Amino acid sequence: MPLADFFAAVRWWAALMVLGAAALPLAFTLLRWLPDRGYAFVKMMGLLVVTYLFWLLGSLGFLANNVGSLVFCLVLFGAASAWVYRRGDGGLRAWLRENGRYVVTAELVFAAVFFLWAWVRAQNPAITGTEKPMEFAFLNAAGRSRTFPPHDPWLSGFGISYYYFGYVMTSVIGRLAVVPETIGFNLGIAWLAAGAAVGAFGVVYNLVAAGTEREGRRPALILGLVAAVALPLAGNLQILLELLHANGIGSDAFWAWLNVRDINTPAVDTGFGATGPRFWWWWRSSRVIHEHTLAGIPEEGLEPIVEFPGFSFLLGDMHPHVLALPFAFLGLAVALLWWLKPIGAWAPEEWAGATVVGRFRLLVQGIGAPTWALTALVLGGLSFLNTWDVLIHLFVVVGAFVLRQWRRRGRWDNAFLAQGAMAGVLLAVPAVLLYLPFYLGFRSQAGPPYLLPMLMRPTRLAHFLIIFGMSLWSVLILVGVLLAQRQQRSWRVGVGVAAGLLVGLSLLMLLLGWIIAASPAGGERIVTLGQELGVAVTQPPEGASPLGRLGWGLRAVLVVAPSIMVVRLSTPWLTLLLAVLVGAVVMVWVTLFRQDDAAEQPARAATAGGVPPALPFVLLLILTSALLTLGPEFVYLRDNFGQRLNTVFKFYYQAWIMFGVAALFGLDYLRRNARPVAVLVTAGYSLMLAVALLFPINGVSSRAQEYGNPSTLNGIAHYRYQNPEELDALTWLRQNVEGTPVISEAVGGQYSPQGHGRVSATTGLPTILGWAGHEYQWRGDTPEPGMRDPAVATIYGQANWEETTQMLNRYDVEYVYVGPLEVSTYGSQAATKFEDLLEVAYANNGVIIYRWLPR
């Protein structure tokens, strides 16, 4: 890595340290009920609040998108943080002295992972392939735009219609650190890995340390360190299968039975690396589930994505689910705050006699307005970072609140559900209002019906264990031990919950199928489905009334439903496991919160034989993870893909975090309360973690071999070896063109190996049309991309100059980029068409950039 790149990494780290220092007084005050008083999360909190102030004031027109405004927001936040601290009980300096070992450990975790992953990114820094061009385009646009939302670099004249908060955050760090986007892209990945590592460290530490004195928190430190490696960096167990298959181990029947795509053939000793038949072997770890139709036909190209953080950081995509990851840990910390913080009590009769407004007032007073505000800010930020995550973390926060009420009363009261619903509203409404400018400009591809029934074969348990086996090993034994330790007079409750869950999800599938079958397109689909299953379904009636179509749809669904159930029952094990896990968690809660136990709860510490204060909260994480992974077996969210791949992707990603956190807490609980079992569980987890760490070790080596050039953090340095003239032209644009003038470049398919969209992506300048497929994903059914593709073809390929000028003027084009890709896409005339008609702004042996003044 060049020395200049190393100093850029140091400046990036220093900028995050400054943001964390500004947030420390606020975190110390608002998160004081956590054992670490929020120290592990100060960098996330500082970056969130400073970027929020910068974005909001910029969106409202009070601030410009420049470094001066950034510094103003940082100073403003630091002053507000100090003011909140001075109104509190103080003691920060004394706490830092007393908890020096924890503070140093947390900082070492962050710095070690940050600089390690900066080195990893330097081995293959190229911003090419997969989603990187899109992400680079958004990052550059966030720094170049005059206002918010940033302009869409791939659809000139429009603002970004996507959750872009993470790109603004990365731009904020880069400008504070004085690092250009070409390097900042890769340092942004390093920051996300380090933020996830210290976030995992902090969450596990706080869960294990809750209820223990400071002197007895060494196990919490150790497990926190394990979390910093296991959750963000380790792989899943597919790496073991990869190694076995690559070395010719395993029978043909075994690999055919396991049926993981691309390794379901006979094992052959081909070696293990980045070249030859095993090129991009690491990609398969995110495509473990081999999807099949109900008729047993493999579904090619739309398999569920089962990405996990270690894969994300190895791939190096700065996608929203990765940008949100450190803040997901902050969200868990805030949810834990709701569990550990004392809640103002109100009598049942006071609640029953209050008006709706009075009940809202009781909730706010019970939790405290500062906690409400912080939680709404974090949840709203998660929605802006990766909208899929917000409902998941809202569920955890509200679940923690309901559990707290249940524990306080010692018995279940249906009023808790109403209180939880009202708490959710009190969080959701301000979370939306705080980020309202984003929602006003956001257009989603989702539309009615928002949920679709999952009409593929269920996920096999073997595949699920490949993905989550390391965490489930500890989680399942933890829940089993908890059930064995307590008298289970509540088994009927658990069985009822599990059965009710399965019945409810099945009925939801039937209801959604009925609604869809009643539509014209859905009617044709259910007829085709019947043919696949060998069931005769009559053709949908032509010209029938809506009521008639509903009647036909119900009959059609009832005809195919038995065959669907037969197929689903042939692979029931994962569904049963997750439903039983949900029921078991509820059974443990019932026994924990009985009136005779509840009185002792606050005084109990996490000592041998006691109930750790965080245990019910950890069970909530287990239940949430089980629901997240069970849900896509029945329904999924509608999007442009038409399959469940995106729902599985987003839900499994959060389940990886929560299962992982719960697994490490389980090791500590078993150590304290079931030592013989703990030895076995710890040994098994350690072995699987050692195997899982082979994924990043081998993956980094393979990725470096793929790049094959000198290490650097410059994400466009590869142009120097492939097309130096284009690098010079792109660099000129970055350094000499101010503002957001429109530039014309060749249009082609998304993910094209030729690099369509590379000019706008590298510079942040808006182009007429970039990746049309992505624009459809972001904006739904819009005609705009289809209109613009032929317009660009006219500019480069049409001999009629009058029509060309019409297109240039229509889209306010100021620069026309003519490079090898434009010539290969539109023909040789593109190389000479503009020679005597437009002014040359820049030229070298391979690229000419013309200037046009729109009129």
Side-chain angles (χ1 to χ4, degrees):
M1 181 193 305
L3 191 60
D5 289 0
F6 171 74
F7 284 127
V10 172
R11 295 196 303 274
W12 194 281
W13 169 81
L16 287 164
M17 291 294 290
V18 171
L19 289 166
L24 179 57
L26 181 67
F28 184 80
T29 303
L30 297 186
L31 301 177
R32 61 185 178 273
W33 289 277
L34 300 183
D36 78 338
R37 301 199 66 149
Y39 187 88
F41 312 99
V42 294
K43 295 175 183 64
M44 290 81 98
M45 186 180 292
L47 180 58
L48 172 66
V49 178
V50 170
T51 306
Y52 172 75
L53 292 173
F54 176 63
W55 166 80
L56 180 64
L57 296 175
S59 297
L60 298 177
F62 295 114
L63 292 178
N65 183 12
N66 57 37
V67 176
S69 299
L70 271 177
V71 173
F72 170 77
C73 292
L74 177 58
V75 172
L76 177 64
F77 171 61
S81 178
W83 178 79
V84 170
Y85 168 71
R86 282 196 292 269
R87 289 175 60 88
D89 56 3
L92 176 57
R93 291 182 179 178
W95 185 89
L96 290 173
R97 286 195 301 269
E98 293 171 358
N99 294 271
R101 182 172 63 176
Y102 175 81
V103 170
V104 170
T105 303
E107 293 299 344
L108 286 177
V109 165
F110 181 81
V113 176
F114 175 76
F115 286 106
L116 169 66
W117 221 257
W119 173 84
V120 168
R121 291 305 307 148
Q123 309 312 302
N124 188 339
I127 307 175
T128 58
T130 58
E131 302 287 352
K132 293 183 186 68
M134 178 217 95
E135 298 148 4
F136 196 33
F138 281 6
L139 177 60
N140 282 303
R144 184 179 282 272
S145 292
R146 295 184 177 92
T147 59
F148 295 116
H151 65 271
D152 188 336
W154 280 348
L155 199 70
S156 60
F158 287 78
I160 291 176
S161 179
Y162 198 56
Y163 12 91
Y164 62 85
F165 199 31
Y167 302 104
V168 179
M169 286 183 171
T170 309
S171 180
V172 163
I173 305 171
R175 282 183 275 180
L176 290 176
V178 195
V179 173
E181 291 87 354
T182 51
I183 293 175
F185 184 94
N186 287 306
L187 288 177
I189 299 295
W191 133 246
L192 294 170
V198 76
F201 168 82
V203 169
V204 171
Y205 174 87
N206 282 298
L207 288 171
V208 176
T212 63
E213 298 298 329
R214 180 168 54 85
E215 293 77 11
R217 293 178 179 175
R218 175 174 288 184
L221 272 176
I222 294 172
L223 289 171
L225 290 172
V226 175
V229 175
L231 272 64
L233 302 183
N236 58 32
L237 298 181
Q238 199 272 343
I239 180 63
L240 176 60
L241 302 175
E242 200 71 41
L243 287 167
L244 295 175
H245 194 272
N247 288 280
I249 301 173
S251 67
D252 296 356
F254 169 77
W255 293 111
W257 169 83
L258 193 61
N259 197 22
V260 174
R261 181 174 292 173
D262 296 330
I263 57 171
N264 52 6
T265 56
V268 181
D269 191 357
T270 57
F272 190 75
T275 59
R278 308 207 71 80
F279 181 68
W280 269 37
W281 58 267
W282 48 272
W283 181 266
R284 285 189 284 275
S285 65
S286 69
R287 303 297 192 277
V288 172
I289 300 174
H290 197 168
E291 196 86 298
H292 288 72
T293 67
L294 288 171
I297 303 170
E299 180 72 34
E300 302 295 340
L302 289 176
E303 68 275 5
I305 302 172
V306 292
E307 192 168 322
F308 50 91
F311 173 91
S312 304
F313 296 132
L314 182 66
L315 176 63
D317 277 9
M318 191 186 287
H319 222 50
H321 65 285
V322 187
L323 288 162
L325 185 56
F327 303 92
F329 287 108
L330 174 61
L332 292 181
V334 170
L336 179 59
L337 175 70
W338 279 63
W339 170 251
L340 294 177
K341 179 184 176 182
I343 294 180
W346 55 80
E349 57 272 13
E350 185 180 4
W351 175 269
T355 63
V356 173
V357 174
R359 291 179 177 181
F360 279 122
R361 186 180 297 112
L362 288 175
L363 289 173
V364 174
Q365 292 173 347
I367 293 294
T371 302
W372 282 105
L374 173 64
T375 308
L377 184 68
V378 171
L379 290 174
L382 280 172
S383 179
F384 198 175
L385 282 159
N386 187 40
T387 303
W388 289 78
D389 294 347
V390 63
L391 292 180
I392 298 170
H393 287 269
L394 176 62
F395 177 84
V396 176
V397 171
V398 171
F401 170 75
V402 171
L403 288 178
R404 188 62 188 260
Q405 294 296 87
W406 188 0
R407 187 182 74 172
R408 184 170 62 86
R409 291 285 301 279
R411 59 182 177 82
W412 177 257
D413 188 330
N414 288 333
F416 300 156
L417 294 177
Q419 293 168 9
M422 295 183 74
V425 171
L426 273 175
L427 289 171
V429 171
V432 171
L433 293 177
L434 285 170
Y435 296 87
L436 188 60
F438 160 65
Y439 293 104
L440 292 177
F442 179 66
R443 182 180 176 186
S444 172
Q445 61 176 301
Y450 291 96
L451 286 178
L452 294 175
M454 204 287 281
L455 298 177
M456 305 293 283
R457 292 206 165 188
T459 303
R460 293 176 57 200
L461 180 59
H463 292 167
F464 192 79
L465 293 177
I466 293 170
I467 301 165
F468 293 110
M470 182 172 69
S471 296
L472 280 177
W473 167 254
S474 175
V475 165
L476 294 176
I477 294 177
L478 168 66
V479 174
V481 168
L482 287 169
L483 291 174
Q485 286 179 338
R486 310 187 69 81
Q487 294 181 359
Q488 288 310 315
R489 292 172 288 173
S490 57
W491 65 269
R492 291 185 180 86
V493 174
V495 172
V497 167
L501 182 61
L502 293 178
V503 170
L505 288 171
S506 299
L507 291 176
L508 178 60
M509 276 188 66
L510 289 173
L511 176 61
L512 292 173
W514 179 20
I515 294 172
I516 294 167
S519 67
E524 296 295 334
R525 174 70 183 96
I526 201 168
V527 170
T528 303
L529 179 63
Q531 293 171 350
E532 293 175 0
L533 296 172
V535 178
V537 180
T538 61
Q539 292 294 322
E542 295 185 9
S545 66
L547 187 60
R549 292 200 65 88
L550 280 173
W552 177 87
L554 178 59
R555 292 191 296 273
V557 166
L558 293 177
V559 167
V560 300
S563 297
I564 294 175
M565 292 301 288
V566 168
V567 174
R568 294 188 65 88
L569 290 174
S570 67
T571 315
W573 308 116
L574 175 60
T575 302
L576 290 175
L577 172 67
L578 294 174
V580 169
L581 183 58
V582 170
V585 167
V586 175
M587 289 168 63
V588 176
W589 277 336
V590 169
T591 59
L592 285 175
F593 297 153
R594 284 200 182 107
Q595 185 69 56
D596 56 344
D597 290 342
E600 304 175 24
Q601 295 271 342
R604 289 186 176 181
T607 55
V611 177
L615 176 60
F617 181 83
V618 171
L619 291 171
L620 173 63
L621 299 184
I622 295 172
L623 177 134
T624 304
S625 301
L627 292 177
L628 287 173
T629 49
L630 178 62
E633 299 301 307
F634 292 86
V635 296
Y636 62 93
L637 276 71
R638 175 185 177 272
D639 57 23
N640 284 355
F641 294 105
Q643 295 290 357
R644 62 170 180 156
L645 80 166
N646 226 12
T647 302
V648 171
F649 178 12
K650 304 297 186 177
F651 285 8
Y652 274 42
Y653 209 76
Q654 296 301 312
W656 175 277
I657 296 169
M658 296 184 198
F659 270 145
V661 166
L664 289 167
F665 176 89
L667 295 182
D668 182 71
Y669 179 88
L670 295 173
R671 178 185 66 84
R672 296 176 184 274
N673 296 276
R675 287 188 178 274
V677 177
V679 173
L680 174 64
V681 176
T682 303
Y685 184 91
S686 301
L687 179 61
M688 284 185 277
L689 177 58
V691 170
L693 288 175
L694 294 175
F695 176 80
I697 293 171
N698 287 279
V700 170
S701 174
S702 288
R703 295 289 277 157
Q705 292 178 54
E706 293 166 23
Y707 185 60
N709 297 315
S711 64
T712 177
L713 286 172
N714 189 339
I716 62 173
H718 62 281
Y719 278 110
R720 189 157 302 283
Y721 310 101
Q722 300 168 0
N723 192 339
E725 291 81 11
E726 189 132 271
L727 175 61
D728 292 339
L730 295 173
T731 302
W732 182 86
L733 285 170
R734 287 183 57 86
Q735 295 177 349
N736 294 277
V737 177
E738 301 292 333
T740 58
V742 178
I743 189 166
S744 176
E745 64 175 313
V747 176
Q750 55 191 12
Y751 310 115
S752 67
Q754 294 81 14
H756 290 95
R758 83 277 189 211
V759 179
S760 46
T762 305
T763 64
L765 295 172
T767 193
I768 299 173
L769 179 62
W771 289 6
H774 275 55
E775 291 294 342
Y776 287 122
Q777 290 179 33
W778 302 332
R779 301 178 187 278
D781 186 14
T782 174
E784 194 70 29
M787 297 165 55
R788 293 188 174 208
D789 194 346
V792 178
T794 296
I795 291 174
Y796 286 102
Q798 176 59 258
N800 187 318
W801 182 244
E802 183 179 349
E803 292 185 22
T804 300
T805 57
Q806 288 177 359
M807 293 300 103
L808 292 173
N809 289 330
R810 175 182 296 177
Y811 295 106
D812 296 319
V813 175
E814 293 187 38
Y815 292 93
V816 177
Y817 189 99
V818 181
L821 185 56
E822 283 66 34
V823 174
S824 65
T825 302
Y826 300 107
S828 58
Q829 71 276 5
T832 58
K833 176 177 179 177
F834 308 99
E835 283 181 350
D836 300 322
L837 299 170
L838 297 180
E839 173 191 351
V840 175
Y842 172 87
N844 61 32
N845 291 331
V847 176
I848 303 177
I849 303 174
Y850 295 97
R851 182 181 287 113
W852 167 259
L853 298 179
R855 56 183 180 271

